[in-house]
Amino acid sequence: MVFPKKTYFNWSSGKDAAYAFYLLQQDKKYGIEQLVTSVNSKFNRVSMHGLRRELLEEQAKQIGLPLHTVELPEQPNMEEYNAILTKCVLKLQKRGYAFAGFGDIFLEDLRTYRENQLAPYAINCIFPLWKKNTKTIITDFLSIGFKSIVICIDLNLLDVSFLGRIIDKNFINDLPSNVDPCGENGEFHTFCFDGPIFKKPINFTLGEKVYREYKLGNKDADTNTSMGFWFIDLLSK
């Protein structure tokens, strides 16, 4: 008998992770047994996405898998981030995980970083969406019944009117030509709240919109360069 390969999935809470998880779940060579998510421990929110911890936990509950959170400080530098991540990976390795799933699509540097981080621990990276056309990805995502909402936007690339919108054909058509349909360059982030991987939809209500700026580079560096993001708070219903 051939047993599925013990796999954990790097769960961001957004649409690309949800679709990649779905595709990997269909591949019977792999057995996904764990979700892993980076969380800003100061604010109790998913890193970058700004999603509340309780909604992340509800996603894991409706998927039916245990959730391990990588607890990060508010704005860790790369040394801090790598040290915390290494502790997490060591625990997973000791528990027999040899494969890790990701929702990345075409960012070569990010893929290389992930592979280099996990190679010393003999953990193989799997990218179910890799190099697929992003317009095709989002179209297929919608066609099989997934639903998601935009919860973060890069103000340099998208107007605040895109914040809080449900991803649908109109949303895709309204995107500026310089914005990737999946937001793969960080133009926007989403919360996936329904689809074939969930036992039932996740209920939520819309909260306030908040603008935040993040300093680029080392947090201790003397620079005024920053990036601005709008977030919309989602509340458990």
Side-chain angles (χ1 to χ4, degrees), residues 44 51-59 234-236:
N44 273 322
L51 182 75
R52 289 176 180 257
R53 190 190 291 265
E54 53 263 37
L55 284 171
L56 168 67
E57 291 173 345
E58 184 63 20
Q59 283 183 318
L234 302 184
L235 309 172
S236 296

Side-chain angles (χ1 to χ4, degrees), residues 36 68-70 83-93:
V36 176
H68 176 80
T69 56
V70 181
I84 294 169
L85 186 63
T86 296
K87 287 183 180 180
C88 171
V89 172
L90 280 170
K91 289 180 181 178
L92 291 164
Q93 182 198 43

Side-chain angles (χ1 to χ4, degrees), residues 24-25 91 110 116 125 179 215:
L24 190 56
Q25 204 175 38
K91 289 180 181 178
L110 186 54
N116 289 343
C125 298
V179 171
K215 193 174 181 180

Side-chain angles (χ1 to χ4, degrees), residues 12-13 37-40 44-52 56:
S12 70
S13 75
T37 306
S38 295
V39 170
N40 182 318
N44 273 322
R45 294 175 182 268
V46 176
S47 299
M48 282 309 298
H49 288 218
L51 182 75
R52 289 176 180 257
L56 168 67

